Amino acid sequence: MLVFGVIALVAGFAVGQRELVGVGVLLTVVPPLSALTVLGAASRIVHSRTVAPTRVATGHDARVLVRVGNSSSAWPVASVSVEDTLPVPLGAEPRYTVGYLGPRSVRDVSYLVRPAGRGNYPVGPLRVAVTDPLGCVRVSRRVGAPTHLLVTPVTVPLPTLGSADGSQGEESPRRSLTGAGEQDPVPREYQYGDELRRVHWRSTAKHGELMVRRDEQHWRENSTILLDTRRSAHGSEGPAGSLETAVSVAASVALNLLDGGHGLRLHTERGRVPTMSAAGVLDGLAVAEPSDTPGLLGGIGLLGNSRGTSSLIVAVLGALTPEEAAALARTGGSGARVAVLCARAAWAGHDAVGGVRDILVSAGWRVLVLSSLAELPRLWSLAAAPTGTNASARAAAPRTPGKGPR
């Protein structure tokens, strides 16, 4: 408009046409006047953002509510549009036209995000654009600070340790993968004041009078999980990479053990992950990044330091060398040991998975080879079966296809 206004002014004076000069003046004056109407308007825009929930599992929705308001008690804002800043895993950046905002007016906009992968993602800051009524001038700025959304890894429910043989109910002792458990307690006669939930019905039927369980001493089993997060061991990254599969496997096994009352140690080749609660495990694994550690011997050494304290060791692994497999085979003491090998990891050759599996199986490990998280519940049922059943270590570790790992 400024360019055409100047041209019209020059042409009008040149040919002596007042009408053309008037058009030139109008075109030249409108942009500055429009700029005056949006002067300071962007600074009057305030906002708040709420993410609910602030912690969500991968593939689940979280709602973002953005409230935009005009902080001025006297001056309106003609036209407002907003755009929230999102990282790529949360989807496309939403854009909304809020429109006219009167003094002290507010508008609410909301949208859903569905994270494609775990992590701690910033939502925001908000980009606000203010336009004059004629659309001549547009002023934009970033306002506020980002709000964080924590996305935890995908997990699958696993059968309770020792339940693969179908033993259930009061008559069956609690058995676990480690072979330890709780036998039925010795009952005693019912006394006034005893809680009815402590009645031992099997002994009641046998003795013909109410019998209750004695106070029991519960022994807590301790377990250790080693998660291999080396970048070189897993190759490709992203939601479909073997590292994400390994993290989800470790999270699923950790939740299963915590639900079973196990004391848990979870660590990578770089150090420990907080395991005070199931939420702590998921939060710690949500932000686990691939490491540039060249080998796994450091992580294997941490397993060696836990000898004598862990009744169960679970190693979730990427590609191993035969030397690393041999070092791992020697660790763990007399407790039960389970290795989960990711078939899509960066294995050196077609027979590398089978060679590492054979080394571990010969040392007494139960080995699971899986390509995706969906295979874990079935394989874990075989690994959790009591020793001596048909679910042997080799049954739980089928050979990979002839064309090698993918």
Side-chain angles (χ1 to χ4, degrees), residues 154-158 239-250 252-253 316-317 340-345 347 368-380 396 398 400-401 405-406:
V154 178
T155 61
V156 293
L158 300 179
S242 64
L243 176 60
E244 297 306 311
T245 300
V247 171
S248 293
V249 168
S252 300
V253 173
V316 185
L317 307 167
V340 181
L341 304 182
C342 296
R344 297 179 182 270
W347 295 98
L368 316 179
V369 181
L370 53 79
S371 298
S372 66
L373 182 65
E375 302 172 8
L376 181 61
R378 176 182 62 84
L379 296 178
W380 188 255
T400 52
R406 293 174 290 173

